[in-house]
């Protein structure tokens, strides 16, 4: 026992030789002025001049995307499930039993389809609009003092772009009127629809790549347990999560770094290929492909999807199990 103690003392003495140990006690009141000054100095570096053109390009792409999708869904019908977020683009919905339903409904049932809307394709994501990037954290009792705007617009706003009133009010909840689509869609030829779809797909890719670049420079947060997004160096304190049963609807968000899918959700849908049956069946669910809803919608107008989606779509895959053909 004595030998073990001596060995431990010798080992610790060699390990701690030349090292300095600091106390973990500190006075936060004395550090606070220094922290606030550092935050103010950091605010002087924003917005970054080189990222302003990217933010403006993202706003233009977003406007073109909303108009393009609004135009296409007037020609190619969109089906939305009555009881879950499932969406399908086609004349009739599929028969794949993936309906999650309401809390008390049985799971894995056939969907009940209704007519879909623009916000079924482009999922709206909103965030608090900050008066300045580095400002005090929004408290729960201040949640009604700040306007809610599209998260992408707020990101571009903080990145130096100057959104117009049209950008603020151009949302995915309204597909009617001049800002929502193109008038006289019924008179467009198939070639014209292909041109619209090509521009829509390019706007989709430009929007996502631009948001990804901006999120690498500007801080964007997302809750770990819900889809709430906050654009800024720290998340807000509005208790709106409700992830825990004992907190009811007043749960506090748990923030983490957001990605492009959090600001521009891809909304994955079943993709119907030429070799698939007219109505997708539950028996072939392991053979059908998927695609983001915008990409699937554009392919209906004759656009060839980018090669990066080929694996997801299963372009050359079978549509039914081997041996099931008659």
């Amino acid at each position: 026992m004595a030998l073990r103690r001596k060995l431990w003392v010798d080992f610790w003495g060699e390990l701690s030789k030349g090292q300095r140990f600091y106390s973990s006690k500190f006075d936060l009141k004395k550090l606070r002025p220094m922290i606030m000054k550092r935050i103010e100095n950091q605010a002087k570096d924003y917005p970054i001049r080189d990222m302003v053109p990217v933010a403006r390009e993202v706003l233009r792409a977003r406007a073109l995307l909303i108009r393009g999708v609004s135009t296409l869904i007037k020609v190619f019908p969109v089906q939305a499930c009555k009881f879950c977020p499932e969406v399908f683009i086609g004349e009739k919905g599929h028969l794949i039993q993936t309906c999650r339903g309401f809390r008390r409904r049985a799971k894995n049932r056939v969907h009940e389809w209704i007519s879909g809307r623009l916000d079924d394709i482009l999922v709206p994501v909103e965030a608090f609009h900050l008066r300045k990037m580095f400002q005090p954290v929004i408290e729960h009792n201040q949640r009604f003092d700040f306007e809610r705007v599209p998260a992408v617009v707020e990101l571009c706003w903080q990145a130096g772009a100057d959104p117009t009133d049209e950008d603020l009010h151009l949302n995915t909840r309204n597909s009617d009127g001049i800002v929502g689509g193109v008038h006289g869609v019924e008179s467009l030829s198939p070639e014209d629809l292909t041109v619209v779809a090509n521009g829509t797909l390019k706007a989709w890719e430009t929007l996502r790549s631009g948001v990804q670049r901006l999120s690498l420079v500007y801080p964007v947060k997302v809750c770990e347990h819900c889809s709430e997004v906050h654009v800024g160096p720290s998340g807000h304190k509005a208790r709106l999560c409700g992830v825990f049963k004992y907190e009811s609807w007043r749960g506090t968000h748990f923030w983490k770094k957001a990605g492009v899918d959090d600001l521009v959700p891809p909304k994955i849908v079943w993709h119907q290929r030429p070799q698939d049956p007219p109505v997708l069946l539950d028996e072939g669910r392991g053979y059908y492909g998927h695609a983001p809803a915008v990409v699937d919608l554009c392919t209906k107008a004759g656009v060839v999807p980018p090669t990066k989606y080929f694996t997801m779509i299963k372009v050359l895959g079978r549509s039914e199990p081997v041996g099931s053909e008659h």
Side-chain angles (χ1 to χ4, degrees):
M1 188 69 181
L3 180 60
R4 183 182 300 178
R5 184 180 301 172
K6 184 177 184 303
L7 290 174
W8 170 251
V9 172
D10 293 342
F11 171 76
W12 180 251
E14 290 294 330
L15 185 65
S16 59
K17 188 178 297 183
Q19 296 186 8
R20 299 175 63 183
F21 297 91
Y22 298 89
S23 172
S24 59
K25 295 181 180 180
F26 59 90
D27 191 351
L28 185 59
K29 293 182 179 180
K30 294 181 179 180
L31 291 177
R32 182 177 178 81
M34 183 183 65
I35 295 174
M36 296 303 297
K37 185 177 180 181
R38 185 168 295 182
I39 292 175
E40 291 176 2
N41 293 335
Q42 187 179 4
K44 298 177 182 178
D45 299 332
Y46 292 93
I48 299 175
R49 185 179 302 176
D50 293 341
M51 300 303 294
V52 175
V54 178
R56 292 171 179 167
E57 186 181 35
V58 167
L59 285 180
R60 289 193 295 267
R62 177 179 176 271
L64 291 174
L65 176 65
I66 293 177
R67 292 193 180 96
V69 173
S70 301
T71 301
L72 294 175
I73 62 176
K74 294 178 181 178
V75 180
F76 304 100
V78 176
Q79 311 297 330
C81 182
K82 186 177 180 180
F83 299 109
C84 76
E86 182 81 4
V87 172
F88 184 76
I89 301 174
E91 293 288 344
K92 297 181 180 179
H94 59 72
L95 298 178
I96 302 174
Q97 300 178 13
T98 54
C99 184
R100 297 189 293 273
F102 293 129
R103 183 177 300 178
R104 292 180 176 85
R105 276 175 60 90
K107 308 302 179 184
N108 298 326
R109 297 181 56 175
V110 177
H111 298 275
E112 295 186 28
W113 301 104
I114 59 175
S115 297
R117 304 180 303 177
L118 177 62
D119 57 358
D120 293 315
I121 303 294
L122 300 175
V123 181
V125 179
E126 294 184 340
F128 286 113
H129 171 53
L130 305 184
R131 300 186 179 96
K132 56 182 180 178
M133 183 176 178
F134 294 91
Q135 69 172 43
V137 178
I138 299 175
E139 300 292 339
H140 180 67
N141 57 0
Q142 297 176 323
R143 63 192 185 279
F144 298 119
D145 299 336
F146 293 85
E147 184 183 2
R148 298 280 289 184
V149 299
V152 172
V153 176
E154 175 64 16
L155 177 61
C156 295
W157 207 328
Q158 295 189 19
D162 190 12
T164 62
D165 291 339
E166 182 180 353
D167 292 319
L168 292 175
H169 297 97
L170 186 62
N171 55 59
T172 60
R173 303 183 191 278
N174 176 27
S175 60
D176 301 322
I178 297 177
V179 299
V182 177
H183 287 294
V185 178
E186 297 77 9
S187 62
L188 294 178
S189 65
E191 292 76 15
D192 294 333
L193 286 175
T194 303
V195 172
V196 173
N198 260 315
T200 303
L201 187 57
K202 290 180 180 178
W204 167 258
E205 297 296 330
T206 302
L207 174 64
R208 286 181 58 85
S209 63
V211 168
Q212 186 172 23
R213 292 176 61 186
L214 291 176
S215 62
L216 293 175
V217 179
Y218 292 88
V220 184
K221 309 291 183 181
V222 65
C223 179
E224 292 184 6
H225 305 292
C226 71
S227 58
E228 177 71 9
V229 169
H230 182 78
V231 183
S234 60
H236 60 75
K237 293 184 178 180
R239 300 187 297 272
L240 304 173
C241 184
V243 63
F244 301 116
K245 292 182 179 179
Y246 64 86
E247 289 183 327
S248 182
W249 60 274
R250 298 185 300 173
T252 303
H253 294 288
F254 290 83
W255 301 104
K256 66 177 182 179
K257 182 176 176 58
V260 62
D261 288 347
D262 299 308
L263 279 78
V264 188
K267 191 67 175 185
I268 304 300
V269 300
W270 293 96
H271 176 74
Q272 194 168 23
R273 305 161 300 179
Q275 65 266 36
D276 292 331
V279 178
L280 300 183
L281 305 174
D282 190 62
E283 293 77 12
R285 59 190 295 181
Y287 297 86
Y288 305 141
H290 295 83
V294 173
V295 177
D296 187 41
L297 180 63
C298 293
T299 58
K300 295 292 192 292
V303 175
V304 179
T307 55
K308 65 180 180 180
Y309 297 112
F310 281 7
T311 303
M312 182 188 300
I313 293 175
K314 302 180 182 179
V315 177
L316 302 178
R318 296 181 60 87
S319 62
E320 55 187 1
V322 178
S324 63
E325 300 177 352
H326 300 287

